[in-house]
Amino acid sequence: MKAYDGVAMSGDFFIVNGLGGKRALAGELPVRGSKNAALPAFSASLLFDAPLLLSNVPRISDVAAMGDIIEVLGGKMERRSADEIAVDARKTQSARLPHEPAKKMRASVILAGPLLARFGEASFPHPGGCVIGARPIDIFMDAFEKMGAHCEEDKQEYRVHAPKTGLCGADIFFRQPTVTGTETLMLAATRARGTTFLRNAAMEPEVVFLAELLQSGGADICGVGTPTIEIRGNKQPLLAPKKSARVIPDRIEAGSFLILAALLGKEMLITNCIPEHIRILIEFLRGAGVSIEETNTALRVRTGATLKPYKSFSIKTHEYPGFPTDLQAPLAVFLTQASGEALIHETIFDGRLAYTSDLVSMGADISLWDAHRATVRGPRKLKGRELHGPDLRAGLAYLIAALVARGTSVVGNAALIDRGYERIEERLASIGATIERVSN
Ligand code: EPU
């Protein structure tokens, strides 16, 4: 291929030297803190009476964008060390989210919960985020109304007002489990009058992390990690936790690294992770023939040079502890190298299989049946290509596919990958990958 000449991309891109399927990567790969746990924790800072200290915070652009939003509202974010951040939202004065950064990031909507609880009002643009299908917030608005708020919307923004007496506790049944919805309502209910029940709530580890953070400041929450969460509200700010809260490792990064190790690792150790959070992926990969050893915080993958191809398997994405939608694209790359036919059934989002056409352009044998289902047949040899990831998780999947392929690939939209993965090219270089970032 003519490498990267003529690539019309704005922003940074990566040039990746494919290994042609050779298992050549070796060494230790530590997982960084989770984006989707860190961002709600920043929102939680609005409920505390002192700066909130968070460690294991990844250096990613979404964290920087969230810091910008908090500063526009009147708070302060300060990086104290390589991985520790202090968020001081005590002086927050505005309840109106700045449109530009908030529109780009789905997690910005989580701020509506604490703003509403603290100021009795919140206004925000429709939260954007990655292009993975429709991402409505109707469930959030219905729940705010159940807590006594009045919600309006026009073309520009949503405006939510609590009654003069503040939000009141309510019995809320989510017609669909929603991760950011559960987090937003949990934050709002912590400082509401009376008790709130969140039923059919999300059970993801990021929700549990947020609840534990609130509990460390005195919040009265029980049932997290189950479908029914009970929150006894208290109008007082939460007390400063004694020590910094360590953001949980990113389970999607851990799972993607595990797939990379299975495909291209000679011997790879993935550290600072919680294998329990990706139990379903580990079980499927073991069933396919991948040799995985684990401790509570690390995963070791050993692959011989002359292994038979792995066995293919079908998956259906599901809320936690089911197969995460965010690991669906990296898994598709694994399946292109496994023997047999597999069905991928994406049940959470309706635009999350768009990346498959790029894998087909690399030589993968994938049939896309509709917005939710695709069949992958393998093993197939992949060739280097020019790829433009549609979202950050597919972006990392493209880097993995490019490393599996023969020849050079160009992976565009590096800015999307930077939203969730810290200095990915340097970290993958430490285990032997050759990925060059080109700044445009
Ligand atoms: N939904 C509604 N109405 C709502 C809210 C959600 O219909 O008001 C639907 C969604 O359209 C979707 C389903 O409910 O079909 C579940 O969506 P959910 O609300 O759980 O997704 P989210 O909270 O917007 C979080 C992560 C996503 C991850 C999903 C699913 C954050 C900031 N984002 O999104 O992560 O894919 O949960 O696990 O936590 C990523 O990090 O790349 C990412 C996209």
Side-chain angles (χ1 to χ4, degrees), residues 10 80 125 143 146 268 278 289 324 354 367 377 385 388 422 424:
S10 65
R80 297 255 168 105
K146 277 211 149 173
M268 264 176 64
I278 47 168
S367 308
R377 283 166 295 270
R385 281 280 178 271
H388 302 258
E422 180 177 318
I424 192 69

Side-chain angles (χ1 to χ4, degrees), residues 265-278:
K266 226 173 4 197
E267 178 164 341
M268 264 176 64
L269 183 65
I270 300 160
T271 53
N272 184 34
C273 62
I274 303 181
E276 208 43 53
H277 288 173
I278 47 168

Side-chain angles (χ1 to χ4, degrees), residues 283-335:
E283 289 301 316
F284 270 125
L285 291 180
R286 280 189 176 138
V290 182
S291 157
I292 304 171
E293 291 164 30
E294 65 181 85
T295 66
N296 288 340
T297 57
L299 291 159
R300 185 188 295 279
V301 181
R302 285 205 176 95
T303 52
T306 54
L307 274 183
K308 293 194 297 239
Y310 300 125
K311 284 197 295 287
S312 205
F313 56 88
S314 296
I315 58 120
K316 192 177 187 176
T317 62
H318 197 277
E319 293 84 10
Y320 188 82
F323 198 93
T325 169
D326 291 346
L327 276 174
Q328 185 255 100
L331 183 80
V333 179
F334 177 88
L335 294 173

Side-chain angles (χ1 to χ4, degrees), residues 17-36:
N17 283 356
L19 294 165
K22 226 169 86 206
R23 294 189 166 127
L25 304 180
E28 182 181 333
L29 201 47
V31 173
R32 297 293 284 126
S34 153
K35 163 178 87 71
N36 291 346

Side-chain angles (χ1 to χ4, degrees), residues 357-412:
S357 58
D358 277 332
L359 295 185
V360 169
S361 81
M362 298 178 83
D365 183 355
I366 303 178
S367 308
L368 183 61
W369 302 113
D370 56 35
H372 293 274
R373 289 170 310 149
T375 304
V376 187
R377 283 166 295 270
R380 292 287 184 279
K381 288 196 164 45
L382 302 184
K383 298 179 287 292
R385 281 280 178 271
E386 202 180 295
L387 309 160
H388 302 258
D391 71 271
L392 75 124
R393 307 301 181 183
L396 183 53
Y398 282 8
L399 287 181
I400 299 174
L403 286 168
V404 168
R406 201 159 24 85
T408 305
S409 293
V410 173
V411 178

